[in-house]
């Protein structure tokens, strides 16, 4: 049993704590009945200062599966925030009602402020382009269930590696395991930032390479983590149009991939994974969504101190 | 006040020439009642020219943040007219309300009354990051 008052960044959790969460999530998957009333009479508040239906539903489904209830709001113009109330005050008030809070906010660091002011545990459900630790936990549970381990994996990241927070978080989580290698696949404009290379990769003596070709290292990958290439990241439309199709995954491009390679994607996708890949046995992105709910259940239990 | 002789106080030495007033403002020395001497462009073997500030009172202030402004500074503590301690300031581990986060996406840009706190994440390169958004301020210009 670990003590965790809030989860803001994936590195707030040690690898041992992540193992514990994964073990609980796997037990929930095996024995759902055992958990149906674990959170009876407990309330989760979902404070979504910007809409994210997908993440909110995952948290709410997780709490309902545990027999708890859910309160909250899903956009700031229906809340006190639109009347000028600070995050600190909103959280102070809500922590009088709820046993645990999941918070999404467009500003980076808002959930950290919340955790400093709240009397109940706070989970960061996404703060701008900064952190989204429960997505990373969903990624990790999926990798564990598909691969059985975190060591000795070669992970390809494809798409927007410059702004992609899910990419940065997963890198931060994975550098803590043995013999992990990375392949960064992106256009020049969206390469992995230098500070991640120096402060995370080099600091942990991690082997990595960069390429602009999705096919080039395909046969070496154990995991391929796809992300969206967003139009607004480009200076001009012509560059976007030129590049967007180079980073679209199709069954054809997967031909040289290992049989048991896993394709992950934090979703929503636009067109970066062709729909025909959905039936490929390597596609794991919908399993990832399910795993997201299970790991959130495990997290809620742990943070409420319920065995 | 005799510029050379302080009975009880501190001498902030080896300030990069021309930066004394920045330090003066940063430490809010204008709020003190005691006598203070600012010596500009003193000759220095090590630095060529340097600035010095002498403060003729026992100060109870956090001088470590000086390390952020200029890590070459040394602080001499004078008691009964004698040098009792010579300190080199180091880069402080945290900076509270010394610099402001300039990231427009940071919660500090819209939430009032949050302390601006930075943590030293790379001592070698002197990199500080905002504890909320983790962005680093642009490196100070010399
Ligand atoms: Zn900031």
């Amino acid at each position: 049993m670990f003590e965790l008052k809030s989860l803001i960044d994936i590195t707030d959790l040690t690898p041992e704590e992540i193992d514990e969460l994964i073990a609980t999530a796997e037990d929930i998957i095996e024995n759902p009945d055992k958990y149906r009333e674990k959170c009876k009479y407990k309330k989760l508040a979902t404070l979504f200062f910007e809409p994210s239906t997908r993440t909110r539903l995952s948290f709410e489904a997780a709490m309902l599966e545990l027999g708890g209830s859910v309160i909250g709001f899903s956009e700031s113009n229906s809340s006190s925030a639109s009347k000028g109330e600070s995050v600190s005050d909103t959280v102070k008030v809500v922590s009088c009602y709820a046993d645990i809070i999941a918070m999404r906010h467009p500003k980076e660091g808002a959930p950290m402020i919340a955790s400093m002011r709240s009397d109940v545990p706070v989970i960061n459900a996404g703060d701008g382009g900064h952190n989204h630790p429960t997505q990373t936990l969903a990624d990790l549970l999926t990798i564990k269930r598909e691969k059985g381990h975190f060591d000795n994996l070669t992970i390809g990241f494809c798409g927007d590696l410059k702004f992609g927070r899910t990419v940065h978080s997963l890198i931060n989580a994975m550098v803590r395991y043995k013999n992990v290698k990375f392949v960064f696949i992106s256009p020049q404009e969206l390469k992995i930032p230098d500070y991640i290379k120096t402060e995370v990769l080099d600091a942990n003596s991690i082997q990595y390479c960069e390429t602009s070709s999705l096919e080039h290292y395909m046969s070496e990958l154990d995991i391929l983590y796809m992300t969206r290439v967003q139009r607004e990241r480009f200076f001009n439309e012509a560059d976007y149009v030129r590049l967007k199709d180079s980073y679209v995954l199709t069954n054809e491009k997967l031909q040289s991939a290992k049989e048991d390679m896993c394709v992950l994607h934090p979703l929503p996708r636009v067109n970066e994974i062709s729909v025909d890949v959905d039936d490929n046995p390597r596609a794991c992105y919908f399993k990832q969504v399910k795993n997201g709910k299970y790991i959130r259940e495990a997290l809620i239990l742990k943070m409420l101190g319920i065995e | 006040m005799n510029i050379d002789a302080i009975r009880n106080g501190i001498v902030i030495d080896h300030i990069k020439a021309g930066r004394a007033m920045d330090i003066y403002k940063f430490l809010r020395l204008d709020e003190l009642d005691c006598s203070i001497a600012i010596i500009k462009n003193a000759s220095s073997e090590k630095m060529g020219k340097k600035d010095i500030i002498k403060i003729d009172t026992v100060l109870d202030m956090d001088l470590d943040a000086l390390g952020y402004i200029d890590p070459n500074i040394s602080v001499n503590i004078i008691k009964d007219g004698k040098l009792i301690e010579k300190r080199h300031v180091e880069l402080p581990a945290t900076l509270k309300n010394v610099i402001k986060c300039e990231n427009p996406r940071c919660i500090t840009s819209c939430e009032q009354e949050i302390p601006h706190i930075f943590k030293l994440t790379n001592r070698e390169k002197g990199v500080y990051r905002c504890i909320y958004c983790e962005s680093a301020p642009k490196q100070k210009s010399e």
Side-chain angles (χ1 to χ4, degrees), chain A residues 9 85-89 105-110 112-113 116-117 127 129-131 195 198-199, chain B residues 103-111 113-115 117 121-122 125 127 129 131-135:
Chain A
D9 183 307
E85 188 176 59
S86 65
V87 168
S88 309
D89 284 1
H105 198 286
K107 291 286 183 185
E108 301 174 7
M112 181 180 241
I113 300 277
M116 291 157 101
R117 302 295 151 85
D127 57 336
H130 184 216
N131 278 318
Y195 75 87
T198 55
E199 291 179 26
Chain B
N103 174 4
R105 298 177 307 278
C106 180
I107 185 67
T108 55
S109 70
C110 60
E111 185 108 347
E113 291 170 53
I114 307 176
I117 303 173
T121 57
N122 185 332
K125 292 189 178 145
V127 179
R129 290 188 181 281
I131 63 160
Y132 307 106
C133 71
E134 291 176 272
S135 72

Side-chain angles (χ1 to χ4, degrees), chain B:
Chain B
M1 169 185 175
N2 179 340
I3 288 179
D4 293 318
I6 284 180
R7 294 259 354 128
N8 291 298
I10 66 167
V11 177
I12 304 172
D13 199 358
H14 301 110
I15 302 169
K16 192 178 160 79
R19 299 289 302 261
M21 279 314 286
D22 296 340
I23 308 274
Y24 183 88
K25 282 182 207 142
F26 174 74
L27 293 176
R28 299 193 183 159
L29 299 180
D30 57 319
E31 290 170 13
L32 297 179
D33 294 329
C34 66
S35 50
I36 295 170
I38 297 171
I39 302 161
K40 288 185 67 171
N41 299 326
S43 63
S44 158
E45 267 180 46
K46 212 166 55 176
M47 303 166 69
K49 279 183 192 170
K50 64 177 181 179
D51 288 1
I52 305 167
I53 299 177
K54 297 189 178 187
I55 306 164
D56 199 16
T57 191
V58 182
L59 275 183
D60 183 26
M61 62 166 69
D62 178 18
L63 295 168
D64 282 341
L66 282 179
Y68 176 74
I69 306 234
D70 183 347
N72 296 314
I73 285 177
S74 54
V75 175
N76 300 315
I77 315 281
I78 315 285
K79 202 176 171 193
D80 297 329
K82 289 197 190 87
L83 174 68
I84 58 157
E85 193 189 343
K86 194 178 180 80
R87 274 200 302 186
H88 286 279
V89 288
E90 285 196 344
L91 285 177
T94 53
L95 295 172
K96 190 171 175 184
N97 294 328
V98 174
I99 43 174
K100 284 196 172 253
C101 184
E102 285 159 18
N103 174 4
R105 298 177 307 278
C106 180
I107 185 67
T108 55
S109 70
C110 60
E111 185 108 347
Q112 300 296 308
E113 291 170 53
I114 307 176
H116 285 237
I117 303 173
F118 284 75
K119 281 215 150 67
L120 182 62
T121 57
N122 185 332
R123 185 169 284 281
E124 226 168 86
K125 292 189 178 145
V127 179
Y128 284 86
R129 290 188 181 281
C130 171
I131 63 160
Y132 307 106
C133 71
E134 291 176 272
S135 72
K138 292 187 194 82
Q139 291 289 313
K140 302 169 283 173
S141 53
E142 280 299 313

